[in-house]
Short mmCIF file of all heavy atoms in Angstrom, two decimals:
data_model
loop_
_atom_site.label_atom_id
_atom_site.label_comp_id
_atom_site.label_asym_id
_atom_site.label_seq_id
_atom_site.Cartn_x
_atom_site.Cartn_y
_atom_site.Cartn_z
N LEU Y 50 -29.05 1.48 -8.60
CA LEU Y 50 -29.39 2.83 -9.06
C LEU Y 50 -28.92 3.05 -10.48
O LEU Y 50 -29.66 3.62 -11.31
CB LEU Y 50 -28.75 3.89 -8.14
CG LEU Y 50 -29.43 4.10 -6.78
CD1 LEU Y 50 -28.56 5.00 -5.90
CD2 LEU Y 50 -30.80 4.72 -6.96
N THR Y 51 -27.72 2.57 -10.79
CA THR Y 51 -27.20 2.73 -12.15
C THR Y 51 -28.03 1.94 -13.14
O THR Y 51 -28.38 2.44 -14.22
CB THR Y 51 -25.72 2.24 -12.21
OG1 THR Y 51 -25.01 2.84 -11.15
CG2 THR Y 51 -25.08 2.59 -13.52
N LEU Y 52 -28.35 0.70 -12.77
CA LEU Y 52 -29.16 -0.14 -13.67
C LEU Y 52 -30.52 0.48 -13.95
O LEU Y 52 -30.97 0.54 -15.11
CB LEU Y 52 -29.33 -1.56 -13.07
CG LEU Y 52 -30.06 -2.58 -13.92
CD1 LEU Y 52 -29.26 -2.92 -15.15
CD2 LEU Y 52 -30.33 -3.85 -13.13
N ALA Y 53 -31.15 0.96 -12.87
CA ALA Y 53 -32.47 1.59 -13.03
C ALA Y 53 -32.38 2.83 -13.89
O ALA Y 53 -33.19 3.03 -14.82
CB ALA Y 53 -33.04 1.92 -11.66
N ALA Y 54 -31.40 3.68 -13.60
CA ALA Y 54 -31.26 4.94 -14.35
C ALA Y 54 -31.00 4.66 -15.83
O ALA Y 54 -31.61 5.29 -16.71
CB ALA Y 54 -30.15 5.78 -13.75
N LEU Y 55 -30.09 3.73 -16.10
CA LEU Y 55 -29.73 3.46 -17.49
C LEU Y 55 -30.87 2.79 -18.27
O LEU Y 55 -31.13 3.13 -19.42
CB LEU Y 55 -28.47 2.57 -17.55
CG LEU Y 55 -27.15 3.25 -17.24
CD1 LEU Y 55 -26.02 2.24 -17.27
CD2 LEU Y 55 -26.86 4.35 -18.27
N SER Y 56 -31.54 1.82 -17.62
CA SER Y 56 -32.60 1.10 -18.35
C SER Y 56 -33.81 2.01 -18.63
O SER Y 56 -34.29 2.09 -19.77
CB SER Y 56 -33.03 -0.17 -17.59
OG SER Y 56 -33.31 0.13 -16.27
N PHE Y 57 -34.28 2.69 -17.59
CA PHE Y 57 -35.43 3.60 -17.77
C PHE Y 57 -35.02 4.76 -18.69
O PHE Y 57 -35.79 5.20 -19.54
CB PHE Y 57 -35.96 4.11 -16.45
CG PHE Y 57 -36.70 3.04 -15.68
CD1 PHE Y 57 -36.25 2.60 -14.45
CD2 PHE Y 57 -37.86 2.47 -16.19
CE1 PHE Y 57 -36.91 1.61 -13.74
CE2 PHE Y 57 -38.54 1.48 -15.50
CZ PHE Y 57 -38.07 1.05 -14.26
N GLY Y 58 -33.79 5.24 -18.46
CA GLY Y 58 -33.28 6.37 -19.29
C GLY Y 58 -33.20 6.01 -20.77
O GLY Y 58 -33.55 6.80 -21.65
N SER Y 59 -32.74 4.79 -21.07
CA SER Y 59 -32.62 4.37 -22.46
C SER Y 59 -33.99 4.23 -23.13
O SER Y 59 -34.17 4.62 -24.28
CB SER Y 59 -31.83 3.06 -22.56
OG SER Y 59 -32.48 2.04 -21.84
N VAL Y 60 -34.98 3.69 -22.37
CA VAL Y 60 -36.32 3.57 -22.93
C VAL Y 60 -36.93 4.93 -23.22
O VAL Y 60 -37.49 5.19 -24.31
CB VAL Y 60 -37.25 2.77 -21.96
CG1 VAL Y 60 -38.69 2.84 -22.40
CG2 VAL Y 60 -36.80 1.32 -21.87
N ILE Y 61 -36.76 5.83 -22.26
CA ILE Y 61 -37.32 7.21 -22.46
C ILE Y 61 -36.60 7.92 -23.62
O ILE Y 61 -37.23 8.61 -24.43
CB ILE Y 61 -37.20 7.99 -21.13
CG1 ILE Y 61 -38.18 7.38 -20.10
CG2 ILE Y 61 -37.51 9.48 -21.32
CD1 ILE Y 61 -37.94 7.81 -18.68
N SER Y 62 -35.29 7.69 -23.69
CA SER Y 62 -34.54 8.35 -24.79
C SER Y 62 -34.98 7.84 -26.15
O SER Y 62 -35.18 8.63 -27.10
CB SER Y 62 -33.05 8.08 -24.63
OG SER Y 62 -32.61 8.51 -23.36
N LEU Y 63 -35.15 6.52 -26.24
CA LEU Y 63 -35.60 5.95 -27.52
C LEU Y 63 -37.01 6.44 -27.87
O LEU Y 63 -37.31 6.74 -29.04
CB LEU Y 63 -35.58 4.41 -27.47
CG LEU Y 63 -34.21 3.74 -27.61
CD1 LEU Y 63 -34.33 2.23 -27.49
CD2 LEU Y 63 -33.56 4.10 -28.95
N ALA Y 64 -37.83 6.53 -26.86
CA ALA Y 64 -39.22 7.02 -27.09
C ALA Y 64 -39.20 8.48 -27.55
O ALA Y 64 -39.95 8.86 -28.46
CB ALA Y 64 -40.02 6.90 -25.80
N ALA Y 65 -38.30 9.24 -26.96
CA ALA Y 65 -38.18 10.65 -27.35
C ALA Y 65 -37.69 10.80 -28.78
O ALA Y 65 -38.01 11.76 -29.50
CB ALA Y 65 -37.23 11.39 -26.39
N LEU Y 66 -36.88 9.82 -29.21
CA LEU Y 66 -36.36 9.85 -30.59
C LEU Y 66 -37.38 9.32 -31.60
O LEU Y 66 -37.13 9.29 -32.79
CB LEU Y 66 -35.07 9.01 -30.67
CG LEU Y 66 -33.82 9.61 -29.98
CD1 LEU Y 66 -32.73 8.59 -29.91
CD2 LEU Y 66 -33.37 10.85 -30.74
N GLY Y 67 -38.49 8.83 -31.06
CA GLY Y 67 -39.58 8.34 -31.94
C GLY Y 67 -39.38 6.92 -32.43
O GLY Y 67 -39.96 6.53 -33.48
N GLU Y 68 -38.61 6.14 -31.74
CA GLU Y 68 -38.37 4.74 -32.14
C GLU Y 68 -39.62 3.92 -31.89
O GLU Y 68 -40.18 3.97 -30.79
CB GLU Y 68 -37.19 4.18 -31.31
CG GLU Y 68 -36.80 2.79 -31.69
CD GLU Y 68 -36.44 2.63 -33.15
OE1 GLU Y 68 -35.49 3.30 -33.57
OE2 GLU Y 68 -37.13 1.87 -33.86
N ALA Y 69 -40.03 3.17 -32.91
CA ALA Y 69 -41.28 2.39 -32.77
C ALA Y 69 -41.06 0.89 -32.88
O ALA Y 69 -42.00 0.12 -32.77
CB ALA Y 69 -42.27 2.85 -33.85
N ILE Y 70 -39.80 0.48 -33.12
CA ILE Y 70 -39.55 -0.96 -33.27
C ILE Y 70 -39.23 -1.55 -31.89
O ILE Y 70 -38.31 -1.14 -31.20
CB ILE Y 70 -38.36 -1.20 -34.24
CG1 ILE Y 70 -38.66 -0.53 -35.58
CG2 ILE Y 70 -38.09 -2.69 -34.43
CD1 ILE Y 70 -37.46 -0.42 -36.51
N PHE Y 71 -40.03 -2.55 -31.54
CA PHE Y 71 -39.95 -3.12 -30.20
C PHE Y 71 -38.61 -3.81 -29.95
O PHE Y 71 -38.04 -3.77 -28.85
CB PHE Y 71 -41.10 -4.11 -30.02
CG PHE Y 71 -41.20 -4.70 -28.65
CD1 PHE Y 71 -41.21 -3.87 -27.52
CD2 PHE Y 71 -41.27 -6.07 -28.45
CE1 PHE Y 71 -41.33 -4.40 -26.24
CE2 PHE Y 71 -41.35 -6.60 -27.17
CZ PHE Y 71 -41.38 -5.75 -26.08
#
Side-chain angles (χ1 to χ4, degrees):
Chain Y
L50 285 171
T51 310
L52 183 67
L55 285 177
S56 51
F57 288 117
S59 59
V60 170
I61 291 165
S62 304
L63 283 179
L66 289 169
E68 183 58 60
I70 304 166
F71 185 52

